[in-house]
Amino acid sequence: MTVTRGLEGVVATTSSISSIIDDTLTYVGYNIDDLAVNASFEEVIYLLWHRKLPTLSELEELNQQLAENADLPKEVLDHFSMYPIEKVHPMAALRTAVSLLGLYDEEADKMDPEANYRKAIRLQAKIPTIVTAFARIRKGLAPVSPRKDLSFAANFLYMLSGEEPKEIAVEAFNKALVLHADHELNASTFTARVCVATLSDIYSGITAAIGALKGPLHGGANEAVMKMLSEIGSIENTESYIREKLANKEKIMGFGHRVYQNGDPRAKHLRLMSEKLTKLTGEPQWYKMSTRIEEIVTGEKNLPPNVDFYSASVYHSLGIDHDLFTPIFAVSRTSGWLAHILEQYENNRLIRPRADYIGPGMQRYIPIVQRG
């Protein structure tokens, strides 16, 4: 057998959802640059799930469905009080809450396409409510109920802070959601597809995906980037800090990507938003430090930044707690996970690869009393 560690370059399935060809990312054939500049996140959800951009009436219907399903069961909200709030990471809380949601969905185990689509709506609508409710409850604040008159991006920021967000904040957050919505067979998406390929339910698939996203080599990278920026502290300390890391052969989070040779096409959009927002908040040092780090790492290692690098300073400038960065990734990527889960169900085949065994050869069982 030919072994490909990490399945790098292995084509595991066909898909009509997103593609990465010659360093260009597309959703259903639409270039990510086009969508990042022009599309709402709600349009992108519809695009990924239906393989076409919505008409006005179709978008209005989706918005209404999401708004009507955004509230959480009281049991889920009450469950947060049982978590060890001081210790638990929001990604662990999200993973647990999504699994718990399945217990309160009467259609959880119904597998017809119509029921699965209804569950997709409910999950997409409730994920941001879970993240924002937990973020507030752990601070001793009451959850803020979702509003039906706000966009997806605006509603998240409103539920997080309790205040209606400014237009520039909504623009930045919507752009981040669009950019993170899908990314072909990344680790968490592949995890979701492996899970539901057994004909397990949607809640299991999304819970599994969240577990994969939690790792620092996947969704946790943007949180690690902000931790690094905070440790550096100022533009004056940037060069010595990074060069010491490079000299010690330590990984600089937020750089390089397995599927891009010449840079992540999503990064430039968040770079621009980082520049705008850090200037607006009076903290331009985060952007300046980031650009200096980019100059050094790209110059020394030929590794351009990926989407996680500038998303860190964008989210920080929006006043978002650093450990919420990865849950926000999940809020967006749920749209892609659900698209892939629904696609997997449409033409399912159990995903069962092989392993090249490298252990001992044929051995004979020896009774325990005879073992030395």
Side-chain angles (χ1 to χ4, degrees):
M1 291 185 284
T2 300
V3 177
T4 305
R5 295 192 67 223
L7 301 182
E8 185 171 354
V10 173
V11 178
T13 190
T14 58
S15 177
S16 59
I17 299 168
S18 66
S19 70
I20 303 167
I21 301 172
D22 296 329
D23 284 355
T24 299
L25 171 63
T26 67
Y27 298 166
V28 197
Y30 290 90
N31 192 299
I32 193 62
D33 293 338
D34 191 5
L35 295 172
V37 172
N38 298 303
S40 69
F41 180 57
E42 293 90 330
E43 287 179 288
V44 168
I45 294 172
Y46 192 96
L47 173 65
L48 295 175
W49 293 3
H50 296 275
R51 313 299 192 271
K52 72 182 190 74
L53 287 170
T55 64
L56 182 59
S57 62
E58 288 168 337
L59 183 59
E60 288 174 347
E61 182 182 10
L62 175 62
N63 289 340
Q64 182 180 355
Q65 291 172 329
L66 292 171
E68 289 174 350
N69 287 278
D71 287 306
L72 294 177
K74 182 178 182 297
E75 294 85 352
V76 174
L77 287 173
D78 290 345
H79 202 258
F80 286 145
S81 64
M82 300 172 61
Y83 298 175
I85 297 293
E86 319 78 36
K87 301 176 184 177
V88 70
H89 192 282
M91 279 299 285
L94 176 61
R95 180 190 62 210
T96 302
V98 169
S99 182
L100 186 62
L101 268 183
L103 302 182
Y104 301 98
D105 190 330
E106 294 179 355
E107 293 189 301
D109 293 317
K110 290 186 67 175
M111 298 298 286
D112 59 278
E114 294 76 18
N116 281 330
Y117 186 80
R118 289 191 294 270
K119 285 179 285 186
I121 290 285
R122 289 195 281 271
L123 271 162
Q124 185 68 65
K126 286 174 169 52
I127 289 276
T129 316
I130 291 173
V131 173
T132 54
F134 176 77
R136 291 181 66 82
I137 288 171
R138 70 175 178 168
K139 294 180 177 179
L141 301 172
V144 175
S145 297
R147 276 173 45 177
K148 295 184 178 181
D149 62 319
L150 295 178
S151 69
F152 195 99
N155 208 20
F156 180 93
L157 296 173
Y158 166 72
M159 288 191 291
L160 191 62
S161 69
E163 299 176 2
E164 193 163 332
K166 295 179 180 177
E167 187 175 336
I168 182 68
V170 176
E171 178 192 353
F173 197 68
N174 180 80
K175 198 179 295 290
L177 292 175
V178 169
L179 292 169
H180 285 91
D182 196 57
H183 207 233
E184 203 211 44
L185 280 191
N186 57 86
S188 55
T189 299
F190 186 63
T191 300
R193 292 190 77 134
V194 170
C195 180
V196 302
T198 68
L199 295 185
S200 190
D201 64 284
I202 281 184
Y203 288 96
S204 296
I206 297 298
T207 302
I210 291 169
L213 187 69
K214 185 174 180 287
L217 293 184
H218 190 10
N222 50 15
E223 184 181 342
V225 169
M226 200 62 222
K227 182 176 183 291
M228 174 180 67
L229 291 173
S230 299
E231 287 175 355
I232 295 171
S234 68
I235 186 68
E236 292 77 19
N237 296 333
T238 304
E239 183 150 358
S240 60
Y241 180 98
I242 296 300
R243 292 202 182 279
E244 182 179 350
K245 291 278 188 187
L246 292 174
N248 293 333
K249 300 189 183 305
E250 296 180 50
K251 184 176 179 63
I252 310 295
M253 300 303 288
F255 283 87
H257 201 289
R258 183 176 288 187
V259 298
Y260 294 117
Q261 301 302 313
N262 300 303
D264 188 332
R266 302 167 296 176
K268 59 182 176 290
H269 297 284
L270 291 176
R271 191 183 200 271
L272 289 171
M273 291 311 307
S274 173
E275 183 178 19
K276 284 183 184 178
L277 286 170
T278 55
K279 191 177 295 183
L280 192 65
T281 58
E283 294 185 313
Q285 72 272 19
W286 302 119
Y287 174 73
K288 291 177 181 177
M289 289 160 61
S290 298
T291 55
R292 183 63 187 127
I293 294 169
E294 180 183 351
E295 290 172 3
I296 298 169
V297 175
T298 303
E300 291 283 327
K301 306 284 289 183
N302 195 29
L303 287 175
N306 56 44
V307 71
D308 295 309
F309 187 66
Y310 283 102
S311 69
S313 50
V314 167
Y315 294 155
H316 175 80
S317 298
L318 292 174
I320 296 170
D321 293 340
H322 298 170
D323 61 358
L324 294 179
F325 291 1
T326 310
I328 287 170
F329 194 151
V331 167
S332 171
R333 186 56 60 84
T334 295
S335 61
W337 291 336
L338 289 166
H340 281 269
I341 286 171
L342 296 174
E343 184 179 63
Q344 184 69 37
Y345 284 146
E346 287 171 7
N347 187 26
N348 187 56
R349 181 170 175 78
L350 181 69
I351 299 171
R352 204 292 191 190
R354 298 290 307 280
D356 185 18
Y357 176 71
I358 59 171
M362 296 298 291
Q363 301 196 75
R364 185 174 63 85
Y365 179 84
I366 301 172
I368 194 167
V369 295
Q370 298 177 19
R371 296 176 210 158

